[in-house]
Amino acid sequence: GVFTEARRRRPPARIELRKMNDSVKESSLYPIASCCICNTSFYPDLPACIGCSSKIALCCCTFEACLKLGSPKLRCLCCDLRCNDCSVLVKWQEQCCCIVESIACPPDDEVPAMVGYCCVMCYPKFACCKTQAEVMGRI
């Protein structure tokens, strides 16, 4: 009938992995230690760094949690679980006050591939005590 024909013509719903309603401004991060796809950074942006947030994406599932003032409300008050389009194998970012831990496979704009230790970055360019944006050449 009419309904089955309309269902055939309608494109399937696509839920995309959106960038985090970002409770962490990646351009403000100072990388402390990085090993390719894993980064530990210092987040000195006050008052934005007060609180905790987390986003974990594994293949087609994404979990978010946020306990920060002024952050957007998630579906279940402070957390959310949803399906996405499998555009990432693994992506994980956790922030607790001024420390941010992140992993991405494959690396992307939010979690780029970097190599460094003790705030001295060797890849993608040599830099000391610079923000992630400066290390990645975005400033």
Side-chain angles (χ1 to χ4, degrees), residues 33-80:
S34 299
C35 184
C36 299
I37 62 172
C38 305
N39 304 321
T40 300
S41 302
F42 176 63
Y43 187 39
D45 194 3
L46 283 171
C49 71
I50 298 171
C52 296
S53 67
S54 176
K55 179 179 180 182
I56 301 165
L58 183 59
C59 295
C60 297
C61 295
T62 301
F63 172 78
E64 287 186 62
C66 191
L67 293 170
K68 295 175 77 167
L69 292 174
S71 65
K73 192 182 296 186
L74 299 172
R75 286 193 286 190
C76 187
L77 297 179
C78 65
C79 61
D80 189 7

